[in-house]
Amino acid sequence: MGSHIAVDIGASSGRLVLGTVSDGRIQLQEIHRFQNGFEEVEGHCYWNIDYLFQEVMTGLQKVKQQGITACTLGIDTWAVDYVLLDGEGQRLHEIYAYRDERTKHAIEKVTRQLSAEAIYEKTGIQFQPFNTLFQLAVHDPVQLKQADQILLVPDYLYFLLTGKRINEVTNASTTQLLHLQTREYDEDLLKLLGLDRSQFAELVQPGTSLGRVQSKWHEAYDLPDCEVICVATHDTASAVLGVPADPAKSFAYLSSGTWSLMGVELDSPIHSAEARERNFTNERGAFHTYRFLKNIMGMWFIQEVHRHYEGAISFGGFVELAKEEPAFTTFIDFTDARFLNPRSMVGEIQSYCRETGQLVPQTPGEIARCIYDNLAILYALCVEEMEAITGRAIEVIHIVGGGSSNQLLCQLTANVSGKKVTAGPTESTALGNLAVQMIATGEVSDIHEARSLIRHTFASAGYEPEAACHRAEWIEEFKRVTTGERKGVTSVSTGLEASYQEAKKLYEKHGIDVEAVLEKLSAIKVSMHCWQGDDVRGFLNRDQELTGGIAVTGNYPGAARTPEELRQDLEKAFSLIPGKHKVNLHAIYADTGEQVEIDKLAPKHFEKWVNWAKEQGLGLDFNPTCFSHEKSEDGFTLSHPDPQIRQFWIDHCKASRKIGAYFGEQLGQTCVTNVWIPDGYKDIPVDQMAPRQRLKAALDEIFREELNPAHNLDAVESKVFGIGSESYVVGSHEFYMGYGLQNGKIICLDAGHFHPTETISGKLSSLALFSQGILLHVSRPVRWDSDHVVIMDDELLDIARELVRHDLLGMTHIGLDFFDGSINRIAAWVIGMRNTQKALLRAMLEPTDYLRQVEIAGDYTTRLALMEEFKTYPFGAVWDMFCARQGVPVREEWLTEVKQYEQEVLSLRGGQHKAAISS
């Protein structure tokens, strides 16, 4: 009998397994095993494909060393990940791992162009953010156009071995690009991606011979003579072939490894609306079958927990610890995308439990028990759904793969599903790989004979449902927690609701509609300034020293170094802040791979920011950066006496307005583009008029082109003094007040840009009478423009009261402007944003109409008494409910997440730079 080698590579390990048939039984021998895992480089996850190929070569040499001079060889790996090749067969890019977070919002991006219903009707494939369709949708379009060929990972390994380019069908179907009816790549989906059918190879069936290993590898390595056979290259497809099923019994399979792939084998696909809604997939199987299944994350959870405890507890040890814990005390939807690749699986599980008001598992045993219990529930629900959709009862669940040796999970699956479970073999993927090779060479007649061989060779363990089970109660509680409670319940949910109702009654006595207040607050967008995340360094010229009187105190570790890191940090901050808001960008935060001078900036340099904002549901505001540049080092920009330098800054501001209009048009939210310049003298100048004349002329030229006000609004920002402009500021308050009112521009009031004895709260009602709009930069000056983190002090509360009392929220754009490098930067954002919202809430919860009435009546005693009493009204209970309803942590719970993020993300970046004050 022949020798057959299965190259079976999973997400965490790979091996070469020798298979032969002797006396009616399959003999297996593991020849070589190696580790696998993605590597994180500059914020992205990649596979080391060269390492994997080298390990295959090492394994084949070991085969030869065993005395095997000739064999067949087949390769299976995980699905969806791809390789871009140029015309010479060279890789254009390292291979992204499917757990990379770049696809986090890719489904939304694609389905804005073609509906989910239409895509499922075409492909019948389950929607997962890591499907090749969505990966390609967020890949660099320039590289995609350069690609001569797109191969999946096993296809690429075959290409390296044989020089032949193929797309094997079982894996190709996971791309979500194959049409169910034509069984070819769908033209509409390819067009959506900007791709052409010629960029994909020929589709081939399992069992196709690809010829011999290229001679160059025999010259480099001592290899056996290998006939390379294309097997079912998707490891799940191979695992299904390795299921020892009895054709007389209706069965479901569960391939239990890093992923849990649970389904049934069909002759034709089911792509009904119900199948789509239940997120089932119709992946191609070997020998013209379909794998109607659902992808559920599996042993990945316990692998990550094992990593969390630094390998101190074995996988078997987790099972034993879990057995000692009570069953079904915590319910978690492990299909949630938050568990795809968290920084800490233990932390993510604990956060989920906190958010849903459940007991928080603490010990390794409690964590493991939680995982096994909830996986069993997901399996049982999947069986129920498959029976309903296919219309056929399932008699037995075959669990194969590594998870089949987990006796606790097998018994839990039987208990919750109410079905008999047959566990084993663990080597089903390798067996399915080998089965195709044996069928291709005629050693085995068909898959039925192959499965019979497997069934009679490998012993299986059986598990019957135990009588004393509460499966209905467990499933009901799981559904209750995971379908509705999570979004509105926190770890203080019971007490929170009671406190809120009591507070609501108190406020309603004074005619305050609390529910209406919360609805109004949820609609207020605050613009969060990006420059807090990296200490105003930007990405165009990070080596340029800060100028314009700008500097930042502190060197707290973790400042963002790349646009990707900054967006990651912004996402984390927004996840802790209630509501949907905006991000305020400076021009130096362009995300572009090219060297570009700031007067030549264009919308294309901010395309990645716009795509990200769309995915996040955020708006964008903008600012030209008239500082930290060699042409601003003498302290002058738009008022510079040198016409050429002045024109440089004029061109920069013109470009910035167009970028702002691009933001507004693309995002459907008006962008406020604000002009601030540092121009001024340290000492008293002789001529105070000429610089202002030049500034006025420059602004006239900048604003000459009319832009759609629905897309872009222009604002101008003044200042009383700054470092280097202590005696004279060109863009003074009086200058910009006059210019803005005369020219219909929004006037920006920055809390730190006035004399220390002045407040901007007192200016709002005056400005509102004459200005077309107001831009607020909320900051906290300490004795001068120090830009401290915003706290809920008297001035912040007074600003909020003025906005609410005079109904100015509709004409006012609120943004934050501070930068503090001495504390955790994400925490600084969260503190500032939440305090701004708290101040607005407190103002809305005051009986303004009644206070106005008693004031007009001259009853100043009542006015003062009520204003003081309302300071201790329970607005905190209302704020807590607002946070809970918005799905963000209540009270100081957010700090736990920030510290965890600091430990797992920020601390790995290190300190960045030292500085000392602010603008």
Side-chain angles (χ1 to χ4, degrees):
M1 291 295 184
S3 297
H4 310 282
I5 301 296
V7 178
D8 173 28
I9 307 177
S12 58
S13 66
R15 67 264 181 83
L16 274 72
V17 178
L18 168 65
T20 58
V21 176
S22 178
D23 297 327
R25 300 172 68 86
I26 298 174
Q27 306 295 324
L28 295 182
Q29 179 186 355
E30 185 177 285
I31 301 294
H32 179 56
R33 177 176 284 269
F34 50 93
Q35 294 299 307
N36 190 25
F38 57 81
E39 301 170 349
E40 192 164 334
V41 181
E42 296 183 353
H44 287 290
C45 302
Y46 301 99
W47 300 109
N48 188 341
I49 194 70
D50 294 326
Y51 157 78
L52 294 179
F53 184 71
Q54 179 58 51
E55 290 297 329
V56 172
M57 293 291 101
T58 299
L60 287 176
Q61 289 185 113
K62 290 183 179 179
V63 171
K64 181 71 175 292
Q65 291 165 10
Q66 296 257 348
I68 298 170
T69 58
C71 61
T72 62
L73 178 144
I75 301 173
D76 68 77
T77 76
W78 65 96
V80 303
D81 290 337
Y82 57 92
V83 186
L84 304 181
L85 299 180
D86 64 16
E88 303 300 317
Q90 300 300 309
R91 292 197 307 272
L92 290 171
H93 192 276
E94 292 309 308
I95 302 173
Y96 283 111
Y98 60 84
R99 293 191 190 276
D100 186 83
E101 292 187 354
R102 70 199 173 107
T103 62
K104 191 173 182 180
H105 303 285
I107 292 178
E108 291 89 335
K109 177 180 178 179
V110 171
T111 53
R112 279 196 294 266
Q113 302 174 69
L114 187 63
S115 71
E117 293 82 358
I119 295 172
Y120 192 80
E121 176 67 23
K122 287 172 175 290
T123 67
I125 296 297
Q126 176 184 13
F127 280 75
Q128 298 277 18
F130 46 74
N131 287 354
T132 318
L133 167 64
F134 304 118
Q135 291 199 53
L136 291 171
V138 296
H139 198 104
D140 181 355
V142 175
Q143 281 190 344
L144 290 182
K145 289 182 180 178
Q146 294 171 344
D148 179 71
Q149 204 89 92
I150 301 174
L151 305 179
L152 296 182
V153 168
D155 301 331
Y156 179 63
L157 292 173
Y158 276 135
F159 168 67
L160 292 178
L161 279 173
T162 69
K164 293 184 178 178
R165 304 182 188 193
I166 62 161
N167 287 159
E168 186 275 322
V169 294
T170 68
N171 223 345
S173 69
T174 70
T175 64
Q176 207 166 6
L177 291 170
L178 290 191
H179 196 288
L180 278 175
Q181 305 305 323
T182 66
R183 301 186 179 187
E184 256 292 350
Y185 287 99
D186 183 80
E187 292 182 3
D188 293 336
L189 293 174
L190 293 182
K191 184 177 180 181
L192 184 151
L193 298 172
L195 297 173
D196 185 81
R197 174 63 182 89
S198 64
Q199 291 176 281
F200 293 86
E202 175 192 0
L203 288 166
V204 301
Q205 294 287 338
T208 302
S209 175
L210 302 179
R212 256 54 187 183
V213 172
Q214 295 186 82
S215 60
K216 65 179 180 180
W217 301 125
H218 285 280
E219 295 168 5
Y221 302 94
D222 185 19
L223 306 178
D225 177 21
C226 294
E227 179 188 3
V228 180
I229 293 175
C230 180
V231 298
T233 62
H234 183 197
D235 51 11
T236 305
S238 281
V240 172
L241 292 172
V243 171
D246 183 343
K249 293 183 179 180
S250 175
F251 73 95
Y253 56 81
L254 172 55
S255 176
S256 179
T258 300
W259 285 86
S260 297
L261 292 306
M262 192 170 201
V264 292
E265 199 170 49
L266 301 176
D267 293 328
S268 59
I270 300 176
H271 56 121
S272 62
E274 186 179 9
R276 176 180 58 80
E277 290 166 4
R278 298 294 186 182
N279 214 16
F280 276 89
T281 199
N282 292 272
E283 295 173 358
R284 299 284 292 277
F287 310 115
H288 307 287
T289 59
Y290 287 87
R291 292 173 287 128
F292 184 70
L293 62 86
K294 180 175 285 192
N295 284 275
I296 304 167
M297 281 184 274
M299 293 303 107
W300 163 252
F301 298 108
I302 209 69
Q303 289 165 2
E304 285 296 282
V305 173
H306 177 263
R307 184 170 67 87
H308 176 88
Y309 291 108
E310 299 180 340
I313 304 171
S314 68
F315 293 111
F318 280 114
V319 174
E320 294 306 313
L321 290 172
K323 288 178 180 178
E324 301 301 317
E325 301 296 334
F328 299 100
T329 60
T330 304
F331 298 91
I332 296 181
D333 180 7
F334 279 129
T335 65
D336 194 307
R338 68 190 291 173
F339 298 109
L340 186 62
N341 189 23
R343 296 291 171 178
S344 168
M345 185 63 74
V346 171
E348 199 67 36
I349 288 171
Q350 291 173 332
S351 293
Y352 186 105
C353 293
R354 263 187 231 103
E355 293 166 18
T356 49
Q358 302 184 83
L359 292 173
V360 178
Q362 301 292 340
T363 68
E366 290 170 346
I367 294 287
R369 184 77 206 205
C370 167
I371 290 170
Y372 299 140
D373 285 349
N374 285 280
L375 284 179
I377 291 175
L378 290 172
Y379 300 158
L381 290 173
C382 185
V383 169
E384 286 183 6
E385 292 169 347
M386 288 190 295
E387 289 183 324
I389 295 170
T390 63
R392 69 185 195 188
I394 292 170
E395 298 175 65
V396 60
I397 301 171
H398 280 280
I399 301 181
V400 295
S404 65
S405 61
N406 186 327
Q407 296 177 358
L408 174 61
L409 182 55
C410 291
Q411 186 61 63
L412 288 170
T413 302
N415 290 348
V416 186
S417 68
K419 306 290 183 182
K420 179 180 178 179
V421 168
T422 299
T426 60
E427 302 294 339
S428 60
T429 304
L431 286 166
N433 182 320
L434 294 167
V436 172
Q437 296 180 55
M438 293 173 182
I439 293 169
T441 57
E443 194 167 348
V444 173
S445 60
D446 57 25
I447 190 57
H448 298 298
E449 183 183 349
R451 281 177 171 161
S452 178
L453 270 174
I454 295 169
R455 194 163 57 250
H456 290 96
T457 301
F458 300 95
S460 298
Y463 300 86
E464 297 286 348
E466 294 173 334
C469 290
H470 304 280
R471 63 178 65 92
E473 295 175 19
W474 296 333
I475 291 176
E476 181 182 354
E477 183 64 9
F478 175 88
K479 290 179 178 178
R480 186 189 70 80
V481 172
T482 60
T483 57
E485 300 284 320
R486 181 180 158 213
K487 293 183 179 178
V489 177
T490 70
S491 58
V492 291
S493 57
T494 304
L496 184 152
E497 181 66 31
S499 297
Y500 172 70
Q501 293 300 331
E502 287 299 314
K504 191 175 174 183
K505 289 177 184 177
L506 282 173
Y507 284 113
E508 285 176 346
K509 288 181 180 179
H510 295 275
I512 298 168
D513 186 340
V514 177
E515 291 294 335
V517 165
L518 293 185
E519 183 176 353
K520 187 175 182 180
L521 181 62
S522 68
I524 297 173
K525 296 178 183 294
V526 179
S527 193
M528 193 167 81
H529 54 313
C530 75
W531 48 91
Q532 164 63 35
D534 79 328
D535 304 340
V536 208
R537 308 304 296 189
F539 307 117
L540 287 183
N541 188 6
R542 292 183 63 82
D543 295 330
Q544 174 71 43
E545 288 296 318
L546 292 174
T547 65
I550 298 173
V552 184
T553 303
N555 188 34
Y556 203 89
R561 301 163 297 183
T562 65
E564 291 81 9
E565 287 183 350
L566 182 56
R567 287 191 285 266
Q568 180 186 14
D569 293 349
L570 286 164
E571 285 183 32
K572 185 61 186 179
F574 279 125
S575 74
L576 307 173
I577 298 164
K580 283 291 184 182
H581 299 282
K582 302 176 82 176
V583 173
N584 199 2
L585 291 175
H586 249 283
I588 53 174
Y589 288 85
D591 184 358
T592 175
E594 62 179 291
Q595 289 293 324
V596 58
E597 188 51 273
I598 59 173
D599 65 328
K600 298 296 190 297
L601 284 172
K604 66 179 182 178
H605 300 119
F606 292 87
E607 184 178 357
K608 292 180 181 178
W609 279 107
V610 167
N611 290 338
W612 173 79
K614 286 179 181 178
E615 293 165 357
Q616 299 294 318
L618 301 169
L620 292 175
D621 291 324
F622 200 59
N623 308 262
T625 305
C626 299
F627 54 84
S628 297
H629 191 280
E630 60 182 8
K631 285 184 167 54
S632 68
E633 288 179 348
D634 60 0
F636 287 88
T637 58
L638 290 177
S639 68
H640 204 288
D642 184 328
Q644 290 186 330
I645 294 179
R646 191 165 65 252
Q647 189 61 48
F648 173 87
W649 291 110
I650 290 171
D651 292 342
H652 171 52
C653 292
K654 285 182 176 180
S656 295
R657 292 184 73 225
K658 291 181 179 178
I659 293 166
Y662 163 69
F663 288 172
E665 181 182 17
Q666 289 292 311
L667 299 175
Q669 300 184 45
T670 305
C671 171
V672 178
T673 301
N674 179 51
V675 175
W676 173 79
I677 60 171
D679 299 31
Y681 285 109
K682 186 174 184 65
D683 217 329
I684 302 170
V686 171
D687 189 350
Q688 297 191 25
M689 177 67 79
R692 288 174 176 152
Q693 290 174 327
R694 292 192 292 268
L695 175 57
K696 180 181 181 301
L699 291 173
D700 288 343
E701 183 175 346
I702 290 166
F703 297 132
R704 184 167 292 123
E705 181 180 353
E706 291 189 12
L707 300 176
N708 188 338
H711 299 157
N712 180 79
L713 293 174
D714 298 308
V716 289
E717 180 179 1
S718 61
K719 191 167 184 176
V720 69
F721 78 93
I723 298 175
S725 58
E726 290 87 346
S727 298
Y728 170 77
V729 170
V730 181
S732 65
H733 303 316
E734 296 78 10
F735 176 90
Y736 277 125
M737 189 78 71
Y739 189 91
L741 295 177
Q742 185 180 62
N743 294 281
K745 302 303 176 186
I746 292 174
I747 295 171
C748 176
L749 300 180
D750 186 298
H753 284 192
F754 291 83
H755 190 277
T757 60
E758 291 183 278
T759 62
I760 63 173
S761 59
K763 304 178 186 298
L764 290 171
S765 58
S766 296
L767 185 57
L769 292 173
F770 305 100
S771 177
Q772 293 188 6
I774 301 170
L775 172 61
L776 288 186
H777 276 187
V778 182
S779 184
R780 180 166 58 105
V782 177
R783 297 186 175 85
W784 72 293
D785 184 26
S786 59
D787 277 329
H788 278 63
V789 178
V790 171
I791 62 173
M792 200 160 63
D793 57 9
D794 289 344
E795 172 61 1
L796 181 63
L797 289 168
D798 285 342
I799 291 171
R801 289 189 181 107
E802 286 296 292
L803 294 176
V804 172
R805 289 172 179 174
H806 307 307
D807 197 22
L808 303 182
L809 286 166
M811 68 178 299
T812 304
H813 307 268
I814 306 171
L816 301 188
D817 186 8
F818 55 78
F819 28 96
D820 188 343
S822 69
I823 65 173
N824 182 294
R825 294 170 183 82
I826 284 86
W829 272 324
V830 175
I831 292 168
M833 289 287 284
R834 286 172 69 119
N835 279 335
T836 301
Q837 292 176 287
K838 287 178 188 176
L840 290 167
L841 177 61
R842 280 192 62 171
M844 291 177 184
L845 290 173
E846 290 183 352
T848 299
D849 290 341
Y850 181 70
L851 289 172
R852 188 177 283 117
Q853 290 174 21
V854 298
E855 182 173 272
I856 292 172
D859 188 355
Y860 304 142
T861 303
T862 299
R863 179 187 67 183
L864 180 61
L866 284 181
M867 287 174 66
E868 289 303 302
E869 288 301 323
F870 262 79
K871 289 180 180 179
T872 56
Y873 261 54
F875 104 96
V878 181
W879 169 255
D880 288 347
M881 180 57 74
F882 180 64
C883 289
R885 289 181 179 179
Q886 294 289 325
V888 301
V890 170
R891 301 173 190 164
E892 69 277 9
E893 288 182 1
W894 64 267
L895 187 57
T896 301
E897 292 198 31
V898 169
K899 288 184 175 180
Q900 179 181 326
Y901 186 77
E902 177 178 314
Q903 179 183 356
E904 297 168 359
V905 180
L906 302 180
S907 63
L908 304 181
R909 298 178 188 168
Q912 299 303 307
H913 45 262
K914 295 184 179 179
I917 39 193
S918 84
S919 71

